[in-house]
Amino acid sequence: MCGIVAVIGSRQAAPLLLEGLKQLEYRGYDSSGLATIDTTSNQIPSRLICKRAKGKLLNLRNLVDTSGSPGRLGIGHTRWATHGRPDEKNAHPQIDSAGNIAVVQNGIIENHVLLRRSLEAEGVEFASETDTEVIPHLISKELKLLKQVGRKSSGAMLLEAVRRVSLKLNGAYAIAVIWNEAPDALVVARRKAPLLIGLGEGEFLCASDTPALAGFTRTILPMQDGEVALLTPLGIELYDQHGDRQKRSPSVLRDSEQIVNKRNFRHFMLKEIYEQPETASLWIERHLPEGLPSESPVALPFDASFYKGVEKIEILACGTSRHAAMVGAYLLEQFSGIPTSVFYASEFRYAAPPLSPHTLTIGVSQSGETADTLAALSMEAKRRDSLGDPDYASRQLGITNRPESSISRQVTNIIDIGAGIEVGVAATKTFLGQLLAFYGLAINFAAKRKSRSDEEIKKLIEEIRTVPKHLTLMLETHNELSEELSHQFSDTQDVIFLGRGINYPIALEGALKLKEVSYIHAEGYPAGEMKHGPIALLDHKVAVISIANQGIVFDKVLSNVQEAKAREARLIGVAPETIETEIFDSLMPLPVVSELISPLLSLIPMQLLSYHIAANRGLDIDQPRNLAKTVTVE
Ligand code: F6R
């Protein structure tokens, strides 16, 4: 999704902007641009310089290198097209008709059509198809009015103009604005899209996400919803949407929130797959220390009241996070005995089920910024509040990898999965982290409600403790195995993933991973559902990847696989290494573990096979086409 970087200080802005944008590349983009205010010629007013390029950031870098973009104040942007094709004219910054004001925006201005029409009726000519272009034109209008009154400094005028314009914009957005008549002023604003201010020495850098601040500063001030800020070389002035001054202390970033480095791996995705034993070890270290009381065997940041009286759970999430939620729902129902429903956050917003009392609402989002999930959570909070649900605030939980993100400001309770920054667009280690969070939650609920005996709980905990060791061993064998197998997929156009019970969501996740990074059409089904329709697709050209772990549905899955075999499909089994069957054409062996913890391991072949198939096809694995890491639009 779009990324914003803006800087004001004593150093040249363009190199800092380009470096910051590079760190935001992982969010996904198709064009980029920057604008600076050049004060070198002492010309009054100063000159606004704007450079934009389609495609990779390298194109913008080359443009800036050859044509120059001097100035100590600037804004930069990577664009992920929503309104208008990904080309130069639609790239940001967008500028006003006189070319004096430049704006970068992340998000969507939902009422842009109305705003555009009324500006056009006043004679404004638009140069792009973007929703963003209305903003510089509106700011220009406000500045003209403010100039007529004329008692403020140019920086204060720009601040006031942006504040007034932001009140006219509907949607979720973060913006950064510069004006050639205010060469010492950077104005930024946000509503429902992230924006952080980094405090350096004599300089400030604003960005959509923490990696852009790497090497610049660790001291940050996350902006809150509806705030507008004026940054000058002298300091920060922060205001709410009504223009009232806000005072807040900055916070300090952890290293893991900044470092994005591929080490010796070819791609971030592979590096992050390999980081999973560490993700699991850290999680166990933090949440499963020895000696916790039997009524609360997992260390989670809640007291007893959080668990008390919960009769139902609803989980809101998108994409991979939703698949983690489905495994979570299985555990919460089957292990802890609590009825649990999982919703696509994007659907829940417009078709929520009738409210029922004593419900815990969980939002799952690795980025903590997904617009659909945040909006669904907020809608549910309002619904419950309006019905006077007294304990609703304490009955909200967010599961995220970014505890400094918007979800943490929106819900009362947070589980930080602590997986460290994930750069690859395809979620891998954060998926494992989300799964572990659900295991922790399910165990504590089961312990409180006595839905499982102490022995059963102890056994599950002991099994979870073995996960890092199994993951390490599996990575060794499965990387090579997946690489070998991937060559059989050079002409494959359709792949079907099958799973049942707790591994059905892993089949869905396998299909999603493959689609995302290799662009091969893939579907996940509960294995028993094949015969009700999808079996019509099968022939020798289709590959079927079937997760068949020992447990209550083991024999059932094997019979379902036989049905695929009879249609000549190529069969790959993700099954126990001890399995005695000739049914599979290839086997990706799982260690012998209980069905309950098997999703924590069966995810490895899904991730590695997708990775190697995409690598063989020479694709842009870390930034697949059309995808964004943080989806801040509806
Ligand atoms: C898939 C993937 C996406 C995200 C989805 C939700 O690899 O990463 O499907 O899971 O966009 O994102 P978060 O978890 O940030 O809310």
Side-chain angles (χ1 to χ4, degrees):
M1 205 89 324
C2 306
I4 289 181
V5 183
V7 68
I8 182 164
S10 50
R11 289 188 277 170
Q12 283 298 306
L16 294 171
L17 295 173
L18 287 165
E19 187 46 40
L21 292 177
K22 173 124 202 72
Q23 302 301 328
L24 295 183
E25 273 190 308
Y26 74 93
R27 292 166 68 90
Y29 70 104
D30 38 49
S31 55
S32 58
L34 60 79
T36 53
I37 303 280
D38 176 17
T39 50
T40 47
S41 63
N42 288 333
Q43 169 189 328
I44 295 182
S46 308
R47 197 162 58 107
L48 182 113
I49 302 173
C50 183
K51 310 276 172 197
R52 300 184 297 219
K54 187 179 166 186
K56 289 286 172 195
L57 201 53
L58 188 63
N59 301 344
L60 179 67
R61 190 179 285 275
N62 290 340
L63 186 64
V64 171
D65 284 350
T66 49
S67 55
S69 193
R72 295 181 163 78
L73 164 63
I75 56 179
H77 190 262
T78 45
R79 174 172 188 254
W80 186 81
T82 56
H83 295 73
R85 281 183 311 268
D87 57 20
E88 195 268 336
K89 81 170 184 309
N90 289 329
H92 298 201
Q94 288 290 313
I95 49 178
D96 68 320
S97 308
N100 296 333
I101 299 159
V103 175
V104 289
Q105 192 254 139
N106 165 29
I108 287 192
I109 308 303
E110 285 172 357
N111 56 339
H112 76 103
V113 176
L114 277 179
L115 293 168
R116 188 180 184 121
R117 278 199 200 126
S118 73
L119 285 162
E120 279 172 341
E122 292 166 23
V124 175
E125 282 184 24
F126 277 73
S128 79
E129 298 156 88
T130 64
D131 53 337
T132 303
E133 196 186 338
V134 295
I135 305 174
H137 294 307
L138 288 169
I139 294 175
S140 162
K141 238 177 99 174
E142 290 296 341
L143 283 171
K144 276 185 199 134
L145 295 173
L146 287 162
K147 272 180 171 177
Q148 284 166 10
V149 184
R151 278 193 301 270
K152 291 180 189 254
S153 68
S154 54
M157 272 199 278
L158 183 60
L159 173 80
E160 180 56 12
V162 172
R163 189 189 70 79
R164 289 186 190 177
V165 168
S166 64
L167 296 176
K168 296 183 180 158
L169 306 176
N170 295 343
Y173 58 85
I175 56 176
V177 187
I178 54 175
W179 177 32
N180 69 338
E181 291 188 37
D184 281 334
L186 166 64
V187 175
V188 290
R190 70 157 286 225
R191 179 168 304 151
K192 297 185 198 151
L195 198 60
L196 307 158
I197 302 174
L199 287 71
E201 285 184 20
E203 55 191 0
F204 299 105
L205 191 139
C206 304
S208 312
D209 201 356
T210 52
L213 302 172
F216 184 86
T217 184
R218 292 163 57 113
T219 312
I220 59 155
L221 191 64
M223 287 183 69
Q224 291 186 358
D225 219 33
E227 284 183 339
V228 188
L230 169 64
L231 309 172
T232 70
L234 299 178
I236 305 174
E237 290 176 27
L238 196 61
Y239 296 87
D240 68 10
Q241 58 186 349
H242 310 294
D244 294 329
R245 186 87 184 251
Q246 304 294 300
K247 293 244 152 75
R248 260 201 321 281
S249 304
S251 51
V252 177
L253 280 175
R254 297 180 305 198
D255 279 347
S256 60
E257 287 165 338
Q258 281 192 297
I259 295 165
V260 288
N261 164 349
K262 250 190 273 185
R263 300 213 308 260
N264 292 328
F265 290 92
R266 255 177 83 199
H267 296 98
F268 278 109
M269 182 178 175
L270 190 60
K271 171 181 168 255
E272 287 154 3
I273 291 173
Y274 266 83
E275 281 171 349
Q276 291 177 112
E278 194 189 339
T279 306
S281 297
L282 280 175
W283 192 88
I284 290 164
E285 209 178 294
R286 287 182 194 137
H287 300 286
L288 292 180
E290 300 284 354
L292 286 185
S294 62
E295 69 277 6
S296 206
V298 183
L300 293 177
F302 323 120
D303 58 25
S305 65
F306 171 81
Y307 302 93
K308 210 165 157 207
V310 172
E311 287 174 8
K312 208 177 147 194
I313 297 179
E314 58 187 16
I315 316 180
L316 318 176
C318 306
T320 291
S321 297
R322 185 175 152 275
H323 299 152
M326 290 171 75
V327 174
Y330 185 100
L331 292 166
L332 288 162
E333 290 197 326
Q334 306 301 322
F335 195 74
S336 329
I338 311 173
T340 304
S341 311
V342 179
F343 297 90
Y344 286 105
S346 53
E347 288 295 309
F348 186 90
R349 291 176 69 175
Y350 302 103
L355 284 176
S356 43
H358 314 301
T359 300
L360 169 67
T361 305
I362 306 179
V364 192
S365 173
Q366 59 80 20
S367 64
E369 301 290 355
T370 298
D372 285 319
T373 309
L374 294 181
L377 283 168
S378 141
M379 188 206 78
E380 189 63 338
K382 282 194 197 121
R383 260 193 345 149
R384 287 185 176 264
D385 195 31
S386 67
L387 283 187
D389 185 344
D391 49 18
Y392 179 64
S394 60
R395 292 257 162 86
Q396 290 177 82
L397 166 65
I399 297 180
T400 184
N401 195 35
R402 308 302 297 273
E404 76 294 349
S405 67
S406 299
I407 199 170
S408 309
R409 292 189 281 280
Q410 209 172 300
V411 304
T412 325
N413 305 295
I414 285 289
I415 298 182
D416 171 8
I417 63 175
I421 276 202
E422 185 175 70
V423 174
V425 163
T428 51
K429 64 174 178 173
T430 53
F431 179 57
L432 176 71
Q434 292 168 340
L435 292 181
L436 286 164
F438 276 114
Y439 278 84
L441 203 59
I443 290 172
N444 270 4
F445 266 118
K448 305 266 177 210
R449 300 162 68 93
K450 307 244 172 283
S451 56
R452 292 285 169 156
S453 68
D454 286 356
E455 284 63 44
E456 284 173 301
I457 289 174
K458 238 171 152 175
K459 183 166 170 274
L460 179 56
I461 290 178
E462 283 320 312
E463 275 212 288
I464 293 174
R465 286 191 208 281
T466 66
V467 165
K469 180 191 76 190
H470 285 310
L471 287 173
T472 307
L473 292 172
M474 282 183 78
L475 285 168
E476 272 173 29
T477 47
H478 279 257
N479 191 38
E480 217 170 293
L481 204 58
S482 307
E483 205 279 325
E484 275 167 30
L485 259 178
S486 66
H487 295 285
Q488 296 179 11
F489 284 75
S490 42
D491 297 321
T492 304
Q493 290 185 358
D494 299 286
V495 181
I496 288 184
F497 289 79
L498 301 179
R500 284 187 90 141
I502 197 166
N503 275 301
Y504 163 51
I506 305 298
L508 293 178
E509 177 59 8
L512 180 65
K513 280 295 84 93
L514 187 66
K515 276 187 265 217
E516 283 182 303
V517 297
S518 75
Y519 316 146
I520 294 177
H521 171 243
E523 298 296 339
Y525 290 105
E529 191 62 20
M530 273 296 286
K531 55 189 174 295
H532 298 292
I535 201 163
L537 294 172
L538 297 187
D539 63 21
H540 66 281
K541 291 195 281 252
V542 177
V544 174
I545 300 178
S546 177
I547 308 170
N549 199 58
Q550 221 88 44
I552 50 170
V553 286
F554 184 58
D555 294 332
K556 304 275 173 229
V557 178
L558 292 186
S559 333
N560 300 142
V561 171
Q562 290 285 6
E563 295 157 11
K565 179 100 178 162
R567 273 83 192 172
E568 296 185 359
R570 184 152 39 97
L571 291 181
I572 296 170
V574 177
E577 55 206 8
T578 50
I579 194 169
E580 283 178 13
T581 172
E582 300 293 302
I583 189 173
F584 296 116
D585 298 309
S586 316
L587 178 70
M588 305 191 79
L590 288 176
V592 180
V593 294
S594 79
E595 187 173 31
L596 215 50
I597 70 150
S598 61
L600 298 169
L601 307 179
S602 55
L603 53 79
I604 291 287
M606 306 290 129
Q607 298 171 344
L608 281 173
L609 194 58
S610 303
Y611 170 79
H612 283 293
I613 292 173
N616 271 345
R617 294 183 171 211
L619 297 170
D620 191 354
I621 293 182
D622 288 331
Q623 292 163 37
R625 68 181 182 208
N626 307 336
L627 296 185
K629 182 79 187 156
T630 311
V631 186
T632 50
V633 296
E634 186 179 347

